[in-house]
Amino acid sequence: GDSVTQMEGPVTLSEEAFLTINCTYTATGYPSLFWYVQYPGEGLQLLLKATKADDKGSNKGFEATYRKETTSFHLEKGSVQVSDSAVYFCALSEDSNYQLIWGAGTKLIIKP
Amino acid sequence: DTGVSQDPRHKITKRGQNVTFRCDPISEHNRLYWYRQTLGQGPEFLTYFQNEAQLEKSRLLSDRFSAERPKGSFSTLEIQRTEQGDSAMYLCASSQWGDRGFYEQYFGPGTRLTVT
């Protein structure tokens, strides 16, 4: 079945460092791909999405590009801030509004 | 409308008891989803509704789990004869749905269940 694998955390970086959180997937068809973020004490929020190959999703300085050839959707940010500290989840959906299949999450800690 | 709400936020129960959780979606959303999240894992899809119709329930974890959305607005998730393995965060999400393609799922804060 479909699955999502993302790098284990926690990932600890200094403020202004470059961030990459790896995400790879297996799917039978052509899924849509998502990054969700969960800030401490808050619910899950959609960060960005891409619905077809080579699409780039972006939001709040974060970017991820849908790479069909490597089945990847890595999350990047050029300069992280302390406020980016959160748990980041990669997810896919074979149906655009049906069930989401999730990675295990990656905890990001940014130190000032 | 301030978003998806869930009640209670925390529930502690003894093994063997029944529990019911409530989810109130964003008012104009016609789809409602339930997920379970255990510590250190991503959410796991359980079931979803479009209006009052439950369109997928094969992923409910056992026949002890059931969900309803009787009037197409709020939904309840019931777990009968709880077991310690049911301890988890139960998440609700809602979205619109139509023929436009992608519709974002908005998540509630979750109900944390502890079975002792």
Side-chain angles (χ1 to χ4, degrees), chain A residues 49-97:
Chain A
K49 70 181 189 297
T51 57
K52 61 183 187 297
D54 300 326
D55 269 2
K56 178 186 283 188
S58 61
N59 186 24
K60 299 182 181 180
F62 291 90
E63 293 183 339
T65 302
Y66 187 162
R67 302 287 189 199
K68 184 169 175 290
E69 63 276 13
T70 55
T71 61
S72 65
F73 192 55
H74 304 321
L75 183 68
E76 296 181 337
K77 186 175 185 182
S79 176
V80 293
Q81 306 299 313
V82 172
S83 57
D84 294 326
S85 298
V87 181
Y88 291 82
F89 291 91
C90 185
L92 69 79
S93 176
E94 292 262 27
D95 178 307
S96 63
N97 201 35

Side-chain angles (χ1 to χ4, degrees), chain B residues 21-39:
Chain B
F21 310 139
R22 176 179 171 127
C23 171
D24 286 88
I26 294 172
S27 57
E28 62 266 27
H29 286 180
N30 51 14
R31 282 203 173 180
L32 186 148
Y33 304 79
W34 285 99
Y35 294 85
R36 183 179 79 158
Q37 185 177 18
T38 53
L39 199 62

Side-chain angles (χ1 to χ4, degrees), chain B residues 46-92:
Chain B
L46 297 178
T47 187
Y48 85 106
F49 295 84
Q50 181 161 319
N51 300 312
E52 65 275 13
Q54 190 172 14
L55 298 187
E56 172 59 63
K57 56 182 177 181
S58 65
R59 302 300 181 101
L60 286 168
L61 300 164
S62 78
D63 58 8
R64 297 185 296 106
F65 287 72
S66 62
E68 294 184 341
R69 194 183 184 198
K71 297 182 179 178
S73 56
F74 73 92
S75 175
T76 57
L77 178 70
E78 182 182 17
I79 309 173
Q80 296 183 330
R81 305 181 302 281
T82 53
E83 302 172 356
Q84 287 189 322
D86 297 332
S87 296
M89 180 76 85
Y90 291 85
L91 300 172
C92 176

Side-chain angles (χ1 to χ4, degrees), chain A:
Chain A
D2 294 357
S3 67
V4 175
T5 302
Q6 56 184 110
M7 64 192 289
E8 287 190 24
V11 173
T12 304
L13 296 171
S14 297
E15 209 166 17
E16 299 183 3
F18 184 87
L19 168 71
T20 300
I21 300 178
N22 291 338
C23 171
T24 57
Y25 68 90
T26 58
T28 52
Y30 301 95
S32 297
L33 302 173
F34 309 90
W35 278 100
Y36 277 80
V37 59
Q38 188 168 32
Y39 297 103
E42 298 185 16
L44 286 157
Q45 303 173 29
L46 179 66
L47 180 60
L48 54 84
K49 70 181 189 297
T51 57
K52 61 183 187 297
D54 300 326
D55 269 2
K56 178 186 283 188
S58 61
N59 186 24
K60 299 182 181 180
F62 291 90
E63 293 183 339
T65 302
Y66 187 162
R67 302 287 189 199
K68 184 169 175 290
E69 63 276 13
T70 55
T71 61
S72 65
F73 192 55
H74 304 321
L75 183 68
E76 296 181 337
K77 186 175 185 182
S79 176
V80 293
Q81 306 299 313
V82 172
S83 57
D84 294 326
S85 298
V87 181
Y88 291 82
F89 291 91
C90 185
L92 69 79
S93 176
E94 292 262 27
D95 178 307
S96 63
N97 201 35
Y98 175 40
Q99 111 190 39
L100 289 167
I101 296 169
W102 301 77
T106 302
K107 184 173 184 177
L108 176 64
I109 301 169
I110 307 299
K111 296 188 172 180

